[in-house]
Amino acid sequence: MSRFLSPEALRLDPYTPGEQPRDQQYIKLNTNESPFPPSPRVLEALSRTEAEKLYLYSDPTCAALNAAIAKRYGLDPGNVISGNGSDEILAFAFRAFCGEGKLVAFADITYGFYEAQAALFGLEAKRVPLREDFSLNVEDYLDFPGAVVIANPNAPTGMAVPVSDIRRLLERDPDRVVIVDEAYVDFGAESCAPLVREYENLLVTQTMSKSRSLAGGRVGFALGSAELIAGLNRVKYSFNPYNVNRLSLLAGAAAVEDEDYFQSCCRTIQKTRAWTTAALEKQGFTVLPSSANFVFAKSDRIPGGELYRKLKENGVLVRWFSKDRIRDFCRITIGSREQMEALAEQIDRLLAGR
């Protein structure tokens, strides 16, 4: 460890991203990317003419992208902020709405970035255990005196919370910000986006990495009241005003405008998820009910860590977490039908050889 690090940096436990092999020799089912290329409109927008403008700064207001997002969700541009992936938006939110005297709560089993951000900003955080069946019960958050962050659907479980439960949180304490991270909402869960006009204390974050095939473009956004968006911009302009590059601004707007392609990709992934769930259950796996583009599954015949390692040895990457409550599970991204059939074949071979 570097002797130059501050005590605060030394105390950090950084978030660990999924493996990103450079040689592409794997069937890659570990980071919840889309198996589909971006919309053809995205490829048209990223012309040589636009690439030649990279010597100029991008628009710090992200006006065209925010307008496209606002139109899609029936909101005003003032209800939208765009960022370098939804991770950046979440970081802005943790900094803007949590701090001294402003606590934050999130589930004990959820997206690991929340834990990392709380540590980075020195926040007092409460980790609320999921129920035994891995469901999130809003009763556990109703009287928490601070910001609440809920991944919906949750990661890595894939399980969703009804919007009616989010309403209860919002109405219980109008002075408390509720952040709903909807990175996976497009694959079968109900979005809280329509509630933005009703509740000033609701912030909805989404990403274009999953359902709009722009993981490498790093485009995310948040929807919220003008007051909340102004708070996020206050942090943004104190950190990185030109936070979305010129090409990603174009790609994001084009992706949002191609609704037919977006819906087609989502339907296909839902269909493949159903096939994968049935195939895994036939092999004796327990699979949690998923509304995301992944499934969370375990087998009594092979430990999660061993399954991850054996699959990797045979050219298939999935995600495994070492936390006690979930160490028997693997998170498996829904790829193409061909990829999922190859996964099932590999698992058949592994189980037959035990």
Side-chain angles (χ1 to χ4, degrees):
M1 194 67 69
S2 171
R3 70 182 189 280
F4 299 109
L5 285 179
S6 67
E8 291 80 6
L10 284 169
R11 287 196 291 268
L12 295 178
D13 184 13
Y15 172 73
T16 303
E19 298 166 87
Q20 293 287 347
R22 297 297 92 192
D23 55 12
Q24 296 299 313
Q25 64 176 314
Y26 294 98
I27 295 175
K28 196 169 179 298
L29 306 175
N30 65 325
T31 49
N32 301 338
E33 295 145 318
S34 173
F36 306 112
S39 157
R41 292 194 194 182
V42 170
L43 304 181
E44 292 171 6
L46 301 180
S47 65
R48 180 182 177 89
T49 299
E50 294 297 339
E52 288 175 347
K53 296 178 183 178
L54 286 174
Y55 67 94
L56 298 171
Y57 280 112
S58 58
D59 173 15
T61 70
C62 304
L65 176 56
N66 288 351
I69 294 169
K71 181 180 179 180
R72 200 274 180 185
Y73 289 95
L75 299 168
D76 300 321
N79 297 123
V80 182
I81 182 174
S82 296
N84 190 334
S86 59
D87 286 344
E88 183 181 59
I89 300 294
L90 287 164
F92 291 165
F94 271 72
R95 181 67 291 171
F97 309 124
C98 311
E100 186 176 354
K102 290 183 175 292
L103 313 180
V104 62
F106 44 81
D108 65 333
I109 304 297
T110 191
Y111 183 29
F113 192 74
Y114 309 152
E115 187 79 50
Q117 285 299 311
L120 178 63
F121 296 126
L123 305 177
E124 186 175 345
K126 179 180 180 181
R127 295 141 192 92
V128 182
L130 295 177
R131 296 300 171 94
E132 187 175 349
D133 64 355
F134 297 106
S135 63
L136 184 147
N137 192 320
V138 293
E139 294 285 343
D140 300 331
Y141 296 84
L142 286 180
D143 296 320
F144 179 73
V148 174
V149 185
I150 293 177
N152 195 34
N154 194 19
T157 67
M159 297 172 67
V161 176
V163 168
S164 58
D165 284 354
I166 304 297
R167 279 186 181 273
R168 292 180 62 200
L169 277 176
L170 293 164
E171 293 174 355
R172 182 64 166 245
D173 184 355
D175 296 320
R176 169 184 60 194
V177 175
V178 177
I179 302 167
V180 183
D181 179 359
E182 293 188 343
Y184 303 101
V185 75
D186 297 322
F187 301 107
E190 184 180 3
S191 175
C192 289
L195 305 186
V196 164
R197 288 196 179 276
E198 296 182 50
Y199 299 98
E200 294 183 348
N201 58 330
L202 169 65
L203 186 74
V204 177
T205 65
Q206 290 197 15
T207 178
M208 298 195 194
S209 295
K210 322 297 183 184
S211 57
R212 290 186 169 85
S213 305
L214 290 181
R218 311 307 304 128
V219 182
F221 59 94
L223 311 172
S225 65
E227 182 181 3
L228 291 185
I229 298 301
L232 295 176
N233 274 312
R234 183 178 182 87
V235 175
K236 166 186 166 174
Y237 283 97
S238 300
F239 173 67
N240 184 17
Y242 305 101
N243 62 327
V244 185
N245 71 72
R246 294 183 69 92
L247 298 184
S248 289
L249 287 174
L250 294 168
V256 169
E257 290 165 356
D258 196 345
E259 186 71 15
D260 289 344
Y261 185 80
F262 159 74
Q263 293 289 352
S264 175
C265 292
C266 290
R267 285 194 300 268
T268 301
I269 288 173
Q270 288 177 283
K271 184 177 180 180
T272 307
R273 182 183 68 209
W275 182 92
T276 303
T277 299
L280 289 170
E281 289 177 341
K282 186 177 180 180
Q283 293 169 318
F285 279 76
T286 297
V287 184
L288 298 188
S290 175
S291 297
N293 68 333
F294 58 83
V295 292
F296 205 46
K298 72 171 183 176
S299 170
D300 292 335
R301 297 172 62 188
I302 183 169
E306 183 179 348
L307 177 61
Y308 154 73
R309 289 187 292 272
K310 293 292 186 182
L311 285 174
K312 184 176 180 181
E313 290 171 7
N314 287 276
V316 180
L317 283 180
V318 298
R319 193 80 191 268
W320 175 68
F321 303 90
S322 60
K323 282 189 175 182
D324 287 343
R325 288 189 69 187
I326 57 174
R327 62 185 301 110
D328 290 334
F329 286 81
C330 282
R331 192 193 70 191
I332 304 169
T333 301
I334 302 302
S336 67
R337 175 63 178 265
E338 294 73 22
Q339 288 176 319
M340 307 319 292
E341 289 175 353
L343 167 76
E345 290 175 7
Q346 287 293 343
I347 291 177
D348 273 338
R349 292 193 187 101
L350 291 177
L351 294 181
R354 288 183 64 80

